[in-house]
Amino acid sequence: MASIVAVIASTHHPFYYKASTATGADRPPFADEWTRKILAFRETLTRANPDVLVMVGSDHFHQLWLDNMPQFLVGKAPFYDANWYNEEREFGLPRMLLKGQEDLSGHILRAGLDAGFDLAFSNELRIDHSITCPIVTLRPEADLPIVPIYTNIFAPPLPQPKRFVQLGQTIREIVESWPSHLRVAVIGTGHLSLELGGPRQFGPHGPDPEFDQRAVEWISTGDLDGCLREVTLDSLHSPGNATHGFMDFMLMMGVAGAGAKADYVDTLDLFHTMEAYFTWYPNGAPA
């Protein structure tokens, strides 16, 4: 059977690529520290030596809109065009073409349905920065096949936080039941406290540092019970109007497992958000 060699969760700041490649007067003062942290984080995936990446993210109203908004969607295509025009224009992100792993996509869909998740799928999915940003930060060669999984964190009615956790637990069971010798890394991206277009967007750090500290503690220690006690759909409005993306972190806690302490933890306060990076090695850290 397949083995999960790494579980990785991170934020997905779309300006990293532009900041890290800028030079001279265009290079922001925080770029060097940010780049150092990303290079160290990248090494956690490199050490795991995966063959396939299962990528969890959320479409930012690029391909999915209110006329057809699935709660959970699995990409099932041989290739994925990546990044959209506004992401190229605003963030400087490159266009990408990523290879898909159709056999694993099909396995996740079939087993997910059998496990009680009515997963949607797309054979013509174009993906955005929630999935390409971790490709840029963790595997810039973009040479590994992927299975993209989209969650709905934007368009109410949203699934409950516990459903994200349950899906993460199910994804782990399904991947580990895939009849393959391949090594799989499951990578998911979300938000800590985040404000978009609101009065708290452009502060010296995220809009709710206290929430961010609690969130990092929940994630790094695998405290699913404590997290689920405090986090509700209503409570996630308070830390910032886009904080529901934290539920993708909760999904990744489900993949890692209750009580699983992260093997790697790092954070960085930027001008309007806290960036956070976590890695677990389910079978022990690579030599």
Side-chain angles (χ1 to χ4, degrees):
M1 297 297 176
S3 59
I4 295 181
V5 294
V7 177
I8 296 180
S10 78
T11 44
H12 57 258
H13 202 305
F15 279 111
Y16 172 74
Y17 180 81
K18 194 171 189 177
S20 65
T21 56
T23 58
D26 293 329
R27 190 171 179 85
F30 50 80
D32 289 348
E33 181 183 9
W34 198 2
T35 300
R36 285 194 298 271
K37 285 179 175 284
I38 288 296
L39 291 176
F41 183 43
R42 182 180 301 166
E43 182 62 22
T44 69
L45 178 65
T46 302
R47 290 177 62 198
N49 192 29
D51 302 306
V52 183
L53 306 178
V54 173
M55 308 289 298
V56 178
S58 299
D59 178 74
H60 294 71
F61 292 119
H62 284 115
Q63 178 150 344
L64 305 175
W65 186 237
L66 302 183
D67 58 345
N68 188 2
M69 179 59 68
Q71 302 292 8
F72 303 113
L73 179 145
V74 178
K76 188 175 180 291
F79 293 96
Y80 300 94
D81 287 314
N83 292 322
W84 295 72
Y85 172 68
N86 72 307
E87 296 173 310
E88 299 174 48
R89 181 191 65 221
E90 300 297 328
F91 309 138
L93 290 173
R95 289 197 177 186
M96 304 171 77
L97 182 65
L98 303 173
K99 184 179 179 181
Q101 219 307 337
E102 291 180 276
D103 185 62
L104 181 53
S105 291
H107 178 71
I108 290 172
L109 282 165
R110 179 68 266 167
L113 289 167
D114 293 344
F117 279 90
D118 296 330
L119 301 170
F121 71 92
S122 174
N123 289 335
E124 297 183 3
L125 186 65
R126 183 172 178 177
I127 55 181
D128 75 1
H129 72 270
S130 70
I131 287 176
T132 60
C133 282
I135 294 290
V136 167
T137 56
L138 289 165
R139 191 75 178 196
E141 303 91 336
D143 59 344
L144 297 177
I146 70 167
V147 175
I149 300 176
Y150 269 152
T151 69
N152 175 22
I153 60 167
F154 290 118
L158 305 180
Q160 293 287 345
K162 66 180 180 181
R163 195 62 170 157
F164 281 77
V165 173
Q166 291 166 350
L167 179 57
Q169 294 166 335
T170 301
I171 288 172
R172 177 165 180 169
E173 293 171 1
I174 290 172
V175 172
E176 290 180 332
S177 73
W178 182 35
S180 169
H181 66 282
L182 296 179
R183 300 164 59 86
V184 180
V186 184
I187 301 171
T189 66
H191 309 139
L192 301 183
S193 70
L194 185 65
E195 182 100 349
L196 296 177
R200 294 184 290 168
Q201 178 167 355
F202 292 113
H205 44 61
D208 192 336
E210 291 184 6
F211 175 85
D212 292 344
Q213 290 175 4
R214 293 200 308 275
V216 170
E217 181 70 12
W218 291 326
I219 298 166
S220 62
T221 63
D223 186 7
L224 272 172
D225 289 340
C227 186
L228 285 167
R229 276 195 304 269
E230 293 196 37
V231 174
T232 67
L233 291 177
D234 288 338
S235 76
L236 286 172
H237 289 289
S238 296
N241 62 17
T243 307
H244 287 82
F246 179 68
M247 292 191 293
D248 279 340
F249 272 114
M250 296 178 72
L251 187 155
M252 297 309 298
M253 292 171 69
V255 178
K261 292 179 171 57
D263 295 288
Y264 181 91
V265 181
D266 199 7
T267 62
L268 175 66
D269 270 320
L270 290 179
F271 55 91
H272 74 287
T273 182
M274 174 183 276
E275 294 297 282
Y277 313 111
F278 307 88
T279 300
W280 297 261
Y281 295 118
N283 300 313

